[in-house]
Amino acid sequence: MYALIDGNNFYCSCERVFNPALRGRPLIVLSNNDGCAVSRSDEAKALGVEMGVPVFMIRDLVNKHNIAVQSSNYTLYGDMSDRMMRILANYSPGIEIFSIDEAFLDLTNMPFTDFQELGARIRRRVYQDIGIPVCVGIAPTKTLAKMANRLAKKRLGVFVATSELIEEMLCATAVGDITGVGPRYAQFLQRHGFKTAWDFAQAPDDFVRTNMSVVGLRILHELRGIPVSDLDTAPAAKKN
């Protein structure tokens, strides 16, 4: 089993840790040079603030709803990310840092039996130690864990994709929302009648290999619960 842990609205959550007055208030964090919204609190999302929207285009919305607007502080976010990853490493020696706010844990051969409780425990520990809310998706493969994490945001923060729930999860996921399936492949699959992840999981291997190469075949196998992507546990060199 694999777990994907994701910090909720990470930049906004980091800002709220050090400025509690921002909690409960609509909040957006801007990109370099204060150009576009790169992180939005749930309250800002509910008001219709889209990811990447230039701030000058929503100035009226900001003023009308008293939305807090923060410049980005990547030094802070990097420090909070390092703290979160150190906490997660306590639960498994196999950890892949997927992005500044996401990490996979390899739970294979670990002494965990109640994955729902494990997910809840991870959420409590991260929030208690550094004040960042996270969601946890747990599933037999990394692709399914990523999908489970998306559902966890709608289901009290933890979703464990057990065998009896995988079909439900796949049916609830549009083919374009599968990790690794870009817009071009999504349009191709939709033209051939594959609307959901469940539809795609039933596709013939030869069809996928011919039209989506070995990368598409790996995604197909992962959707079927067959792990083919190992964790990348070597940290990437940091970029300026």
Side-chain angles (χ1 to χ4, degrees):
M1 297 288 276
Y2 295 86
L4 178 65
I5 298 90
D6 173 26
N8 299 347
N9 313 319
F10 188 69
Y11 295 171
C12 288
S13 295
C14 291
E15 295 289 345
R16 284 173 165 175
V17 170
F18 290 93
N19 186 356
L22 296 173
R23 295 175 183 171
R25 180 181 174 188
L27 169 65
I28 60 175
V29 173
L30 302 180
S31 59
N32 289 334
N33 302 317
D34 292 346
C36 304
V38 294
S39 184
R40 305 155 296 149
S41 68
D42 289 337
E43 296 84 357
K45 293 176 184 178
L47 292 173
V49 179
E50 298 291 338
M51 184 65 170
V53 65
V55 68
F56 75 86
M57 293 181 61
I58 58 170
R59 187 60 64 188
D60 290 343
L61 188 68
V62 168
N63 293 333
K64 179 179 179 181
H65 296 283
N66 192 30
I67 299 174
V69 180
Q70 296 287 115
S71 299
S72 51
N73 182 346
Y74 294 108
T75 301
L76 168 64
Y77 310 148
D79 179 66
M80 294 296 284
S81 175
D82 288 343
R83 295 185 192 184
M84 186 173 87
M85 300 310 168
R86 286 198 295 270
I87 293 170
L88 298 182
N90 291 317
Y91 293 92
S92 173
I95 178 171
E96 175 185 341
I97 299 175
F98 191 65
S99 69
I100 191 170
D101 63 340
E102 293 178 283
F104 285 103
L105 294 180
D106 186 353
L107 303 178
T108 307
N109 299 323
M110 298 299 292
F112 302 120
T113 55
D114 188 338
F115 290 112
Q116 187 72 31
E117 170 56 27
L118 173 64
R121 194 190 320 163
I122 291 173
R123 293 189 76 228
R124 288 194 300 269
R125 174 76 183 277
V126 174
Y127 191 77
Q128 288 171 358
D129 285 8
I130 62 172
I132 298 294
V134 300
C135 285
V136 182
I138 300 177
T141 70
K142 290 171 63 179
T143 300
L144 291 175
K146 183 79 171 176
M147 202 175 292
N149 182 276
R150 187 179 296 115
L151 285 181
K153 299 180 187 301
K154 305 175 183 178
R155 303 197 181 192
L156 302 177
V158 179
F159 185 80
V160 180
T162 55
S163 56
E164 60 269 19
L165 291 177
I166 288 178
E167 180 177 346
E168 175 190 338
M169 181 174 72
L170 294 177
C171 289
T173 303
V175 72
D177 290 333
I178 302 171
T179 302
V181 175
R184 185 170 65 89
Y185 279 137
Q187 293 174 5
F188 168 79
L189 291 170
Q190 289 165 357
R191 287 198 304 271
H192 285 79
F194 301 101
K195 304 300 183 184
T196 68
W198 174 255
D199 296 333
F200 180 50
Q202 315 311 309
D205 287 20
D206 290 344
F207 172 84
V208 175
R209 183 187 298 107
T210 300
N211 293 283
M212 299 178 66
S213 76
V214 68
V215 175
L217 194 61
R218 288 174 179 168
I219 296 172
L220 180 68
H221 288 170
E222 290 243 327
L223 292 179
R224 294 172 178 170
I226 306 170
V228 296
S229 299
D230 294 329
L231 290 188
D232 182 3
T233 57
K238 291 188 176 182
K239 301 177 181 179
N240 291 330

